[in-house]
Amino acid sequence: MSDLPRRVTATIVSTLLAVVGCARALPDDARADPDAVRAIRASLDAKPAASEPESGSVAATPTGFADFTGMFRVDGDPPAMPPVRVEGGDAAYCAPGGKAPPAETVVVGPGGGLAHVLVALDSKIPAEWEHERYAAARDALLTGDQAFDQKGCRFLTHVFAMRATQSVEVRNSDSVSHNTNIAAKGKARITNDVIPGGSKSIYAPGGPSGIPFDVGCNIHPWMRAYMFVAESPYFSVTNLEGQFELRGLPAGVELTFRVWHETLGGKWDSATVNGAAAGWSRGKFAITLQPGQSENWEIVVDAAAFR
Amino acid sequence: MKQDKAGRPFRIGPTWIAAIACLAAPGCGLVAPEPRFRTNEAYLINQEIKQGDLEQSDRTVLRRNLKNLMVAAFGTPNEPHVPELEGIDAKQLFDPAKLAIAAGPVASDRFGAPKGLYREHCAHCHGITGDGNGSTAAFLNPYPRDYRRGLFKFKSTPGAEPPTHDDLLRVMTNGVPGTAMPSFRLLNGDEIDALIHYVRYLAIRGQVERALIEYSFQGELDLVEATRETLSEPESAAFVKSEIVAVATRWRQTETLATTVPSPPADFESAASIERGRSLFFGPIASCVKCHGETALGDGTTTDYDEWAKELMPNEPDKLARFLDRGAALEPRTIRPRNLRLNVFRGGRRPVDLYWRLHNGILASGMPAASMRSDGAGDDDPRLAPDDLWHLVAYVRSLPYDALSSPRDAVSYQRERP
């Protein structure tokens, strides 16, 4: 005999719970199309074919190398950066004399250069296409100038990019403790370690992140940086002059690039490239460079885009 | 008290309260269509904000394609499905026979064994989809776990590695003391096992959905451009499957990743051990005091959010509004470092539980992993040795019995501070 009364009441309860009006309805929650589901499932459940071509790989072979450089400039007055909200037990250390460092969501250099823009190769390319200049640092541990450091309760590199095969020293040059919360995406590893003042730890992402992700400190919640873990060696973050440089790119093949900025994300509607509308789709564009070519762009962004 | 046949007390439990609350909710008709997994609307909004807004028509197409893909890969709440995964012993993760017991409407099979366990015991808090947004969720603090990120707190593994089977079993058996998460020790072993498989299924399903959303915005499998035909092609099937395999592999590998716990020192929990733990707690290496505060009442850093709330961009009101206006998420709350004087340990009070908590941190809550010495390093390495961690455990376990833990003393202690 089953415990019938209990089952019956439970059934009634669950039926009531299942009533659709109970959950807050989300307007866009589409219904599945049974035919589409059947077709897709058949394909998912099929045994994979013997050798699949690498999806998204480029078909042609490169004919040499080329450089792609440029600068991002802001047209108009960028928004003023308010100081970050420093509070808690370390306030006296982190904001000496009550002076908190400014937010870094939009950083524009004296000459109008837009800093902290990530420009990265988006196409997946075979390892043989990489220029030999990148071979030595492929598995490097990034230390010294290249380390990821924090001082004055701010991250010294606001947008930090590295290769998935590399590892990086995470330093704390403050005398107070930080905890470096690396909220990685994609195949990159998530970590959150206490790093006492004057100490360091090592971050080995182990895989590419696909997109930039947040790095923070939970002891000092105002601290914010971004990391990007790249599959290829072709990435660059603009400096205070707004400059980026990608050297030794494979030429003669179409390459897709991605451009990202903390505030703009992939929204570059107002951007112009050498005077013409950029027309990037969610921050992406494709170009083919010729061997030996030095492509140089001036990218102008309307300051209004940041409001 | 009345008891049912199995000897379980029969009383008005959370399921009943949820049902009554649900009936009282406006717009509740009595026609019950088959429940559906909800699309991860919050992550779609997050990615639009981060990667660029879509046209309204593109939004609709993306959602329709995502829905079709997800149902094809993982089925529905009544009929869960898992594609054949080459090279993975999927039975260990989500055994179809076990999913069948946990999924579906509440019922019993012809031998009287219960079915629909998840909907009976979990869904009103964790939601049909495992999004932590069941009908009672908004009234609970902390909110029930949203499984869809694959992030769990009370586990033996480091970093973001998933919980082991034993970790989930422990949470199910003990519940999470001090929260609404009850103990399910009255269910039998098979029932608990089925529920663990189902939680893993919902988590992996949710992780794959998030990955597909990211890939769509990155253009790797653009669900705005896709059609039913392109999604049925072997290339896109292989892509989706490789993502499922990647997520599932981490759940399989995690079984070997539990942090090994060395035996405690001989003087563990002696007066000297507690005193050593106390000085470490307030010291600069362990840094516990920064968050848990001078009194360990949890009043250090109090303005932080956990990883679930951060995704809603709670510090940017106009962005946050986009999530809340759509009902895509529960109102974010700041996370408080725990008051350590309450004698309530959510992840368990055994020394080993606390050792894991301190060694690995509490994932997604902001509580970091302790700064440990590298293997083989001597006393010249200023970071914590395993024995130091044990003394911290001793101190933490002693705190509830400390004089200050009587509320009146704690208040006067705070008042006396400059």
Side-chain angles (χ1 to χ4, degrees), chain A residues 3 6-7 10-11 13-14 19 21-23 26 28-33 36 39 41 43-46 48 87 90 124 177 181 185 187 192 194 196 211 214 218-219 258 265 267 282 284, chain B residues 4 8 15 22 27-29 36 38-39 43 49-51 63 67-68 71-72 75 81 83 106 114 120 215 217-218 220 232 237 241 243 284 287 290 301 303-304 307 326 366 368-369 371:
Chain A
D3 45 353
R6 191 163 180 272
R7 294 287 147 231
T11 311
V13 166
S14 73
V19 171
C22 296
L26 290 166
D28 285 319
D29 211 349
R31 267 169 200 285
D33 161 7
R41 184 173 290 179
S43 161
L44 281 173
D45 286 347
E87 52 201 349
D90 289 334
K124 286 202 173 47
S177 303
N181 189 341
K185 297 259 180 190
K187 305 277 187 283
N192 180 10
V194 169
I211 40 181
D214 298 8
N218 301 87
I219 299 174
R258 168 197 299 277
K267 286 168 272 186
R282 267 185 261 144
K284 285 214 232 180
Chain B
D4 70 1
R8 282 173 281 216
T15 327
C22 176
C28 248
R36 287 182 284 152
R38 253 190 254 176
T39 299
Y43 202 49
I49 293 174
K50 293 212 151 164
Q51 314 235 27
R63 280 167 177 74
K67 184 65 115 192
N68 289 340
V71 175
H81 175 90
V106 183
E120 178 176 7
Y215 288 139
F217 279 91
Q218 289 166 52
E220 292 205 38
S232 317
K241 243 162 108 164
E243 189 52 39
S287 312
K290 296 283 178 190
T301 299
T303 52
D304 198 24
E307 293 301 321
R326 301 278 286 279
S371 172

XYZ file of all heavy atoms in Angstrom, chain A residues 3 6-7 10-11 13-14 19 21-23 26 28-33 36 39 41 43-46 48 87 90 124 177 181 185 187 192 194 196 211 214 218-219 258 265 267 282 284, chain B residues 4 8 15 22 27-29 36 38-39 43 49-51 63 67-68 71-72 75 81 83 106 114 120 215 217-218 220 232 237 241 243 284 287 290 301 303-304 307 326 366 368-369 371:
694
model
N 1.476 5.400 0.535
C 0.952 6.409 1.464
C 0.098 7.392 0.663
O 0.485 8.488 0.354
C 2.104 7.106 2.193
C 3.226 7.498 1.273
O 3.179 7.105 0.070
O 4.153 8.182 1.716
N -0.957 11.220 1.427
C 0.152 12.148 1.283
C 0.425 12.456 -0.193
O 0.655 13.591 -0.588
C 1.383 11.504 1.921
C 2.529 12.439 2.073
C 3.518 11.873 3.064
N 4.613 12.817 3.188
C 5.663 12.783 2.386
N 5.751 11.884 1.451
N 6.629 13.659 2.546
N 0.385 11.398 -0.999
C 0.627 11.579 -2.441
C -0.447 12.448 -3.069
O -0.183 13.295 -3.898
C 0.626 10.220 -3.151
C 1.743 9.319 -2.773
C 3.052 9.784 -3.365
N 4.109 9.454 -2.441
C 5.008 10.329 -2.029
N 5.012 11.546 -2.494
N 5.917 9.979 -1.169
N -0.040 15.970 -2.117
C 1.150 16.506 -2.788
C 0.856 16.793 -4.253
O 1.327 17.777 -4.818
C 2.299 15.522 -2.663
N 0.060 15.919 -4.862
C -0.279 16.136 -6.265
C -1.086 17.418 -6.422
O -0.831 18.240 -7.302
C -1.090 14.947 -6.806
O -0.419 13.757 -6.441
C -1.240 15.037 -8.303
N -1.095 19.949 -4.451
C -0.208 21.081 -4.196
C 0.631 21.398 -5.428
O 0.720 22.540 -5.870
C 0.723 20.760 -2.997
C 1.868 21.742 -2.926
C -0.080 20.778 -1.704
N 1.187 20.354 -6.017
C 2.089 20.634 -7.135
C 1.315 21.131 -8.345
O 1.806 21.943 -9.109
C 2.891 19.387 -7.489
O 2.048 18.472 -8.128
N 0.504 26.157 -11.805
C -0.342 27.124 -12.495
C 0.510 28.280 -12.992
O 1.289 28.855 -12.249
C -1.430 27.638 -11.537
C -2.172 28.789 -12.169
C -2.366 26.514 -11.183
N 0.124 31.352 -13.923
C 0.010 32.717 -13.428
C 0.776 32.963 -12.142
O 0.925 34.097 -11.715
N 1.252 31.892 -11.528
C 1.909 32.065 -10.242
C 3.285 32.672 -10.395
O 3.719 33.463 -9.591
C 2.061 30.726 -9.537
S 0.480 30.008 -9.150
N 3.985 32.249 -11.417
C 5.313 32.795 -11.629
C 5.131 34.134 -12.328
O 4.225 34.280 -13.129
C 6.117 31.863 -12.514
N 7.484 36.339 -17.861
C 8.479 37.096 -18.588
C 7.999 37.180 -20.029
O 7.709 36.160 -20.640
C 9.829 36.391 -18.513
C 10.450 36.444 -17.120
C 11.590 35.472 -17.006
C 10.912 37.846 -16.810
N 9.217 37.613 -22.915
C 9.883 37.035 -24.074
C 10.118 35.540 -23.957
O 10.858 34.965 -24.736
C 11.228 37.720 -24.298
C 11.017 39.089 -24.895
O 10.145 39.194 -25.771
O 11.691 40.025 -24.470
N 9.553 34.907 -22.916
C 9.888 33.508 -22.746
C 9.180 32.657 -23.790
O 8.061 32.188 -23.603
C 9.590 33.053 -21.322
C 10.541 31.957 -20.892
O 11.260 31.448 -21.773
O 10.562 31.615 -19.717
N 9.852 32.484 -24.898
C 9.282 31.821 -26.073
C 8.931 30.370 -25.768
O 9.496 29.764 -24.868
C 10.291 31.867 -27.210
N 8.019 29.831 -26.498
C 7.721 28.405 -26.441
C 8.595 27.685 -27.453
O 8.907 28.226 -28.508
C 6.271 28.173 -26.857
C 5.337 28.157 -25.715
C 3.900 28.198 -26.226
N 3.046 28.663 -25.150
C 2.702 27.903 -24.115
N 3.122 26.670 -24.033
N 1.945 28.383 -23.161
N 8.949 26.451 -27.158
C 9.742 25.688 -28.116
C 8.860 25.246 -29.277
O 7.661 25.040 -29.108
C 10.351 24.482 -27.423
N 9.482 25.123 -30.442
C 8.777 24.654 -31.634
C 9.091 23.154 -31.764
O 10.257 22.777 -31.962
C 9.284 25.482 -32.820
C 8.994 24.833 -34.164
O 8.287 23.798 -34.192
O 9.495 25.370 -35.172
N 11.303 21.940 -34.657
C 12.704 22.365 -34.539
C 13.407 21.534 -33.480
O 14.535 21.072 -33.680
C 12.768 23.849 -34.184
N 14.299 18.125 -34.846
C 15.413 18.150 -35.809
C 16.744 18.380 -35.102
O 17.746 17.707 -35.369
C 15.169 19.241 -36.842
N 17.462 17.848 -31.942
C 17.817 16.722 -31.070
C 18.390 15.565 -31.877
O 19.357 14.916 -31.451
C 16.618 16.266 -30.250
C 17.011 15.164 -29.282
C 15.911 14.789 -28.325
N 15.643 15.836 -27.353
C 14.699 15.726 -26.423
N 13.938 14.653 -26.360
N 14.508 16.700 -25.554
N 20.103 15.710 -34.461
C 21.476 16.033 -34.808
C 22.398 15.956 -33.579
O 23.535 15.497 -33.659
C 21.462 17.420 -35.452
O 22.696 17.990 -35.440
N 21.881 16.382 -32.408
C 22.687 16.296 -31.178
C 22.926 14.849 -30.774
O 23.990 14.498 -30.261
C 21.970 16.998 -30.024
C 22.034 18.512 -29.960
C 21.129 19.025 -28.841
C 23.446 18.991 -29.712
N 21.928 14.016 -30.984
C 22.046 12.633 -30.533
C 22.765 11.742 -31.535
O 23.084 10.595 -31.224
C 20.668 12.051 -30.205
C 20.127 12.618 -28.887
O 20.939 13.229 -28.167
O 18.934 12.471 -28.599
N 23.020 12.285 -32.749
C 23.731 11.486 -33.748
C 25.188 11.333 -33.327
O 25.755 12.199 -32.674
C 23.654 12.168 -35.107
N 28.992 11.675 -33.721
C 29.697 12.684 -34.497
C 30.414 12.062 -35.699
O 30.870 10.924 -35.618
C 30.695 13.263 -33.500
C 30.860 12.210 -32.460
C 29.576 11.444 -32.409
N 34.903 53.284 1.873
C 34.389 53.246 3.252
C 34.909 52.001 3.939
O 35.517 51.147 3.314
C 32.853 53.296 3.262
C 32.204 52.276 2.370
C 30.776 52.634 1.981
O 30.189 53.576 2.555
O 30.236 51.964 1.089
N 39.535 50.379 6.375
C 40.788 50.802 5.751
C 40.680 52.169 5.076
O 41.560 52.555 4.308
C 41.236 49.770 4.707
C 41.719 48.478 5.351
O 42.166 48.544 6.522
O 41.647 47.416 4.705
N 39.668 32.309 -34.750
C 40.517 31.236 -34.217
C 41.527 30.890 -35.304
O 41.148 30.570 -36.422
C 39.669 30.007 -33.930
C 38.815 30.161 -32.705
C 38.429 28.787 -32.165
C 37.706 28.873 -30.854
N 36.619 29.876 -30.832
N 45.707 44.156 3.549
C 45.390 42.942 2.778
C 44.349 43.237 1.712
O 43.480 44.083 1.892
C 44.755 41.889 3.669
O 45.574 41.590 4.720
N 39.519 38.780 -6.255
C 38.398 37.945 -6.670
C 38.339 37.963 -8.196
O 37.873 38.923 -8.801
C 37.120 38.497 -6.042
C 35.945 37.572 -6.242
O 35.966 36.703 -7.125
N 34.911 37.751 -5.452
N 35.422 34.118 -16.750
C 34.379 33.586 -17.633
C 34.989 32.527 -18.539
O 36.201 32.345 -18.578
C 33.837 34.714 -18.506
C 33.162 35.801 -17.713
C 31.681 35.639 -17.792
C 30.980 36.723 -17.014
N 29.568 36.447 -16.901
N 36.503 29.506 -20.247
C 37.274 28.379 -19.723
C 38.338 28.820 -18.726
O 39.149 28.026 -18.281
C 37.957 27.627 -20.881
C 37.005 27.159 -21.989
C 36.329 25.845 -21.638
C 35.511 25.278 -22.802
N 34.217 25.977 -22.962
N 39.649 33.261 -5.784
C 39.477 34.374 -4.857
C 40.343 34.088 -3.642
O 39.933 33.375 -2.744
C 37.999 34.511 -4.477
C 37.775 35.664 -3.517
O 38.674 36.464 -3.274
N 36.565 35.747 -2.970
N 43.006 35.478 -0.488
C 43.532 36.591 0.301
C 44.975 36.804 -0.122
O 45.733 35.842 -0.251
C 43.501 36.268 1.812
C 44.279 37.309 2.598
C 42.071 36.186 2.313
N 47.888 38.975 1.408
C 48.287 39.919 2.464
C 49.188 41.017 1.907
O 49.831 40.838 0.867
C 49.052 39.032 3.452
C 48.640 37.625 3.152
C 48.334 37.603 1.696
N 35.402 36.526 -23.192
C 35.065 37.937 -23.014
C 35.810 38.457 -21.788
O 36.228 37.678 -20.941
C 33.536 38.145 -22.818
C 32.956 37.031 -21.931
C 32.810 38.206 -24.132
C 31.464 37.159 -21.714
N 35.191 40.604 -14.700
C 35.494 41.484 -13.568
C 36.537 40.890 -12.628
O 36.537 39.693 -12.380
C 34.265 41.698 -12.692
C 33.130 42.371 -13.429
O 33.234 42.545 -14.664
O 32.141 42.717 -12.768
N 36.754 41.957 -2.238
C 35.564 42.014 -1.396
C 35.803 42.785 -0.103
O 34.869 43.228 0.539
C 35.071 40.609 -1.093
C 34.745 39.857 -2.375
O 35.617 39.236 -2.979
N 33.523 39.942 -2.823
N 37.083 42.930 0.267
C 37.378 43.737 1.452
C 37.158 45.212 1.107
O 36.709 45.992 1.931
C 38.828 43.493 1.930
C 39.011 42.015 2.300
C 39.173 44.402 3.101
C 40.449 41.629 2.652
N 37.908 42.101 -32.356
C 36.871 42.538 -31.429
C 37.409 43.723 -30.644
O 38.556 43.724 -30.198
C 36.541 41.403 -30.472
C 35.703 41.800 -29.279
C 35.796 40.716 -28.237
N 35.284 39.487 -28.799
C 33.979 39.203 -28.835
N 33.105 40.036 -28.326
N 33.568 38.087 -29.369
N 31.127 48.599 -23.901
C 30.933 47.188 -24.242
C 31.222 47.011 -25.717
O 32.301 47.341 -26.207
N 29.252 48.534 -27.962
C 28.410 49.559 -28.603
C 29.278 50.667 -29.190
O 29.677 51.592 -28.490
C 27.430 50.136 -27.569
C 26.304 49.164 -27.235
C 25.518 49.608 -26.012
C 26.150 49.060 -24.744
N 25.402 49.322 -23.533
N 28.498 44.952 -33.088
C 28.827 44.603 -31.700
C 30.345 44.573 -31.477
O 30.888 43.618 -30.926
C 28.196 43.279 -31.316
C 26.822 43.480 -30.666
C 26.218 42.192 -30.171
N 25.257 41.656 -31.102
C 25.080 40.368 -31.329
N 25.823 39.487 -30.720
N 24.173 39.968 -32.173
N 32.723 44.214 -33.596
C 33.532 43.297 -34.407
C 33.652 43.788 -35.838
O 32.713 44.354 -36.396
C 32.874 41.928 -34.435
C 33.047 41.178 -33.149
C 33.168 39.717 -33.462
C 32.216 38.904 -32.653
N 32.355 37.497 -32.971
N 1.708 10.097 8.429
C 1.339 9.324 7.247
C 1.871 7.908 7.404
O 2.515 7.582 8.393
C 1.831 10.011 5.955
C 3.328 9.959 5.809
O 3.997 9.389 6.685
O 3.825 10.484 4.802
N 5.998 9.581 8.711
C 6.466 10.948 8.687
C 5.394 11.848 9.275
O 4.210 11.627 9.024
C 6.748 11.393 7.251
C 8.058 10.850 6.750
C 8.242 11.148 5.303
N 7.461 10.202 4.499
C 7.894 9.728 3.324
N 9.031 10.109 2.834
N 7.150 8.895 2.652
N 5.535 23.442 1.555
C 4.851 23.204 0.288
C 3.434 23.774 0.363
O 2.926 24.394 -0.572
C 4.761 21.697 0.025
O 5.884 21.059 0.555
C 4.586 21.429 -1.443
N 0.362 30.846 -3.398
C 0.224 30.839 -4.840
C -1.224 31.062 -5.238
O -1.536 31.845 -6.125
C 0.728 29.495 -5.358
S 0.510 29.288 -7.093
N -3.968 36.574 -10.628
C -3.677 36.013 -11.946
C -3.512 34.521 -11.924
O -3.067 33.904 -12.888
N -3.840 33.873 -10.792
C -3.683 32.436 -10.716
C -4.947 31.740 -11.198
O -5.914 31.633 -10.440
C -3.389 32.043 -9.275
S -1.753 31.422 -9.062
N -4.941 31.270 -12.385
C -6.100 30.519 -12.853
C -5.976 29.092 -12.394
O -5.031 28.735 -11.729
N 7.288 24.848 -17.786
C 8.420 24.955 -18.715
C 9.641 25.467 -17.980
O 9.519 26.191 -16.992
C 8.056 25.946 -19.839
C 7.061 25.380 -20.824
C 6.803 26.389 -21.920
N 5.939 27.474 -21.465
C 5.958 28.697 -21.956
N 6.802 29.029 -22.886
N 5.125 29.608 -21.498
N 12.343 28.108 -17.569
C 12.401 29.514 -17.951
C 13.750 29.841 -18.570
O 14.792 29.396 -18.062
C 12.256 30.373 -16.701
C 10.924 31.042 -16.606
C 10.980 32.043 -15.468
N 10.225 31.538 -14.336
C 10.175 32.185 -13.172
N 10.836 33.305 -12.988
N 9.457 31.696 -12.196
N 13.719 30.631 -19.611
C 14.970 31.101 -20.216
C 15.697 32.015 -19.234
O 15.054 32.730 -18.466
C 14.638 31.861 -21.516
O 13.981 30.955 -22.387
C 15.881 32.396 -22.188
N 20.514 36.769 -17.577
C 21.821 36.743 -18.233
C 21.739 37.341 -19.639
O 22.698 37.964 -20.106
C 22.400 35.328 -18.259
C 23.899 35.357 -18.413
C 24.674 36.183 -17.606
C 24.534 34.592 -19.373
C 26.044 36.243 -17.750
C 25.913 34.642 -19.522
C 26.662 35.473 -18.705
O 28.026 35.537 -18.862
N 23.581 44.433 -21.948
C 24.183 45.636 -21.377
C 25.689 45.623 -21.634
O 26.282 46.625 -22.014
C 23.895 45.728 -19.861
C 22.395 45.943 -19.623
C 24.715 46.844 -19.220
C 21.973 45.897 -18.171
N 26.310 44.456 -21.448
C 27.763 44.398 -21.569
C 28.251 44.374 -23.001
O 29.319 44.878 -23.303
C 28.298 43.166 -20.838
C 28.098 43.279 -19.349
C 29.192 42.582 -18.605
C 29.403 43.259 -17.269
N 30.157 42.451 -16.343
N 27.497 43.729 -23.883
C 28.030 43.498 -25.226
C 27.285 44.246 -26.324
O 27.633 44.116 -27.488
C 27.995 41.999 -25.549
C 28.509 41.165 -24.413
C 29.637 40.255 -24.839
O 30.352 40.559 -25.782
N 29.785 39.155 -24.162
N 15.819 34.370 -28.558
C 15.132 33.593 -27.515
C 14.493 32.334 -28.086
O 14.510 31.289 -27.451
C 14.083 34.456 -26.818
C 14.706 35.366 -25.789
C 13.737 36.415 -25.332
N 14.325 37.244 -24.283
C 15.262 38.167 -24.487
N 15.744 38.382 -25.699
N 15.729 38.875 -23.486
N 15.652 28.671 -26.949
C 14.651 27.779 -26.369
C 14.660 26.433 -27.093
O 14.717 25.378 -26.457
C 13.283 28.461 -26.467
C 12.161 27.699 -25.826
C 12.355 27.608 -24.335
C 11.299 28.328 -23.577
N 11.583 28.497 -22.168
N 14.628 26.478 -28.407
C 14.609 25.224 -29.174
C 15.858 24.384 -28.895
O 15.780 23.178 -28.708
C 14.504 25.516 -30.674
C 13.134 26.051 -31.051
O 12.164 25.864 -30.311
N 13.039 26.728 -32.191
N 15.689 22.929 -25.284
C 14.739 21.815 -25.142
C 15.281 20.590 -25.881
O 15.185 19.461 -25.397
C 13.333 22.211 -25.636
C 12.391 21.014 -25.586
C 12.768 23.343 -24.781
N 15.894 20.823 -27.045
C 16.465 19.696 -27.786
C 17.552 19.017 -26.952
O 17.618 17.795 -26.873
C 17.037 20.177 -29.118
N 15.631 18.713 -22.796
C 14.251 18.303 -22.540
C 13.490 19.308 -21.701
O 13.856 20.484 -21.609
N 16.100 15.288 -20.630
C 16.836 14.570 -21.660
C 18.290 14.967 -21.522
O 18.596 16.083 -21.122
C 16.306 14.993 -23.031
C 17.065 14.413 -24.188
N 16.737 13.230 -24.763
C 18.150 14.875 -24.860
C 17.579 12.963 -25.757
N 18.450 13.949 -25.834
N 21.834 14.545 -23.953
C 22.382 13.936 -25.161
C 23.487 12.938 -24.814
O 24.106 13.042 -23.758
C 22.940 15.106 -25.969
C 22.861 16.295 -25.119
C 22.149 15.970 -23.858
N 4.305 15.515 -9.218
C 4.322 14.681 -8.028
C 3.340 13.528 -8.211
O 2.186 13.739 -8.588
C 3.939 15.496 -6.784
C 4.023 14.632 -5.538
C 4.846 16.704 -6.666
N 7.655 7.154 -4.651
C 7.327 8.510 -5.081
C 8.063 8.940 -6.338
O 9.173 8.482 -6.612
C 7.760 9.360 -3.889
C 8.795 8.555 -3.199
C 8.426 7.121 -3.412
N 8.000 18.281 -5.531
C 7.392 18.162 -4.210
C 8.218 18.884 -3.148
O 7.680 19.581 -2.310
C 7.252 16.676 -3.830
C 6.655 16.511 -2.433
C 6.402 15.062 -2.050
O 6.814 14.162 -2.801
O 5.795 14.855 -0.987
N 28.253 32.739 -26.103
C 28.715 32.442 -27.463
C 27.879 33.172 -28.493
O 28.382 33.587 -29.530
C 28.671 30.932 -27.735
C 29.737 30.159 -27.003
C 29.453 28.934 -26.412
C 31.030 30.651 -26.910
C 30.437 28.222 -25.735
C 32.009 29.951 -26.236
C 31.713 28.744 -25.648
O 32.682 28.056 -24.980
N 26.429 36.126 -28.159
C 26.839 37.529 -28.224
C 28.239 37.671 -28.803
O 28.572 38.678 -29.407
C 26.742 38.183 -26.838
C 25.330 38.607 -26.509
C 24.468 37.754 -25.858
C 24.869 39.859 -26.897
C 23.166 38.127 -25.569
C 23.567 40.241 -26.620
C 22.711 39.375 -25.954
N 29.066 36.651 -28.612
C 30.413 36.719 -29.192
C 30.407 36.346 -30.662
O 31.428 36.435 -31.321
C 31.355 35.755 -28.471
C 31.722 36.170 -27.085
C 32.362 35.027 -26.348
O 33.304 34.412 -26.825
N 31.835 34.694 -25.204
N 30.078 33.291 -31.834
C 30.597 31.947 -32.127
C 29.497 31.005 -32.562
O 29.731 30.107 -33.371
C 31.329 31.389 -30.906
C 32.594 32.155 -30.630
C 33.600 31.318 -29.888
O 33.707 30.124 -30.161
O 34.275 31.884 -29.015
N 20.406 22.516 -36.793
C 20.382 21.055 -36.921
C 21.588 20.518 -37.679
O 21.735 19.314 -37.846
C 19.121 20.594 -37.666
O 18.011 21.281 -37.215
N 25.720 21.237 -33.945
C 25.487 20.193 -32.938
C 26.801 19.855 -32.229
O 26.849 19.733 -31.004
C 24.894 18.953 -33.589
N 27.501 20.306 -28.305
C 27.874 19.129 -27.540
C 29.219 19.293 -26.864
O 29.408 18.870 -25.718
C 27.891 17.898 -28.436
C 26.856 16.905 -27.961
C 26.531 15.921 -28.981
C 27.081 14.591 -28.654
N 26.424 13.558 -29.477
N 30.411 21.899 -25.698
C 30.216 22.724 -24.515
C 29.603 21.901 -23.383
O 30.014 22.018 -22.224
C 29.321 23.930 -24.852
C 29.233 24.954 -23.749
C 30.598 25.431 -23.236
O 31.520 25.604 -24.062
O 30.736 25.594 -22.008
N 47.344 40.458 10.060
C 47.318 40.920 8.671
C 47.372 39.797 7.630
O 47.098 40.059 6.468
C 48.575 41.789 8.578
C 49.513 41.182 9.579
C 48.655 40.659 10.695
N 43.539 38.084 7.854
C 42.678 39.207 7.465
C 41.197 38.998 7.746
O 40.362 39.728 7.207
C 42.849 39.541 5.974
O 44.196 39.632 5.640
N 38.999 42.028 8.722
C 38.605 43.035 7.721
C 37.122 42.925 7.384
O 36.445 43.924 7.166
C 39.402 42.847 6.422
C 40.867 43.056 6.568
C 41.186 44.514 6.633
C 42.678 44.709 6.821
N 42.979 46.096 7.127
N 33.387 44.804 6.342
C 32.895 45.292 5.050
C 31.444 44.839 4.853
O 31.166 43.646 4.847
C 33.763 44.711 3.932
O 35.096 45.157 4.132
C 33.284 45.172 2.561
N 29.182 46.460 2.442
C 28.526 47.058 1.277
C 28.713 46.198 0.033
O 28.440 46.642 -1.076
C 29.125 48.447 0.978
O 30.547 48.297 0.891
C 28.791 49.428 2.070
N 29.180 44.967 0.222
C 29.511 44.142 -0.929
C 28.303 43.295 -1.352
O 27.376 43.091 -0.570
C 30.687 43.222 -0.544
C 31.391 42.652 -1.754
O 31.318 43.270 -2.833
O 32.014 41.584 -1.632
N 28.145 37.087 -5.978
C 28.294 37.009 -7.447
C 26.941 36.990 -8.153
O 26.814 37.473 -9.271
C 29.096 35.774 -7.845
C 30.564 35.810 -7.420
C 31.339 36.989 -7.978
O 31.123 37.360 -9.153
O 32.153 37.564 -7.232
N 11.651 43.760 -15.608
C 11.214 42.593 -16.359
C 10.909 41.419 -15.444
O 10.573 40.340 -15.909
C 12.313 42.159 -17.342
C 12.684 43.227 -18.336
C 11.709 43.242 -19.497
N 11.947 42.103 -20.377
C 12.885 42.067 -21.288
N 13.674 43.090 -21.444
N 13.023 41.009 -22.049
N 32.124 36.078 -1.663
C 33.142 37.095 -1.405
C 34.167 36.619 -0.391
O 35.285 37.103 -0.360
N 37.125 34.955 0.819
C 38.227 34.403 0.019
C 38.874 33.177 0.649
O 38.683 32.904 1.830
C 39.227 35.566 -0.017
C 38.969 36.336 1.227
C 37.523 36.127 1.611
N 39.639 32.486 -0.167
C 40.461 31.386 0.324
C 41.610 31.981 1.130
O 42.157 33.019 0.775
C 41.002 30.586 -0.853
N 45.278 32.654 2.716
C 46.579 32.752 2.057
C 47.493 31.684 2.649
O 48.015 31.837 3.746
C 47.120 34.156 2.315
O 48.427 34.270 1.866
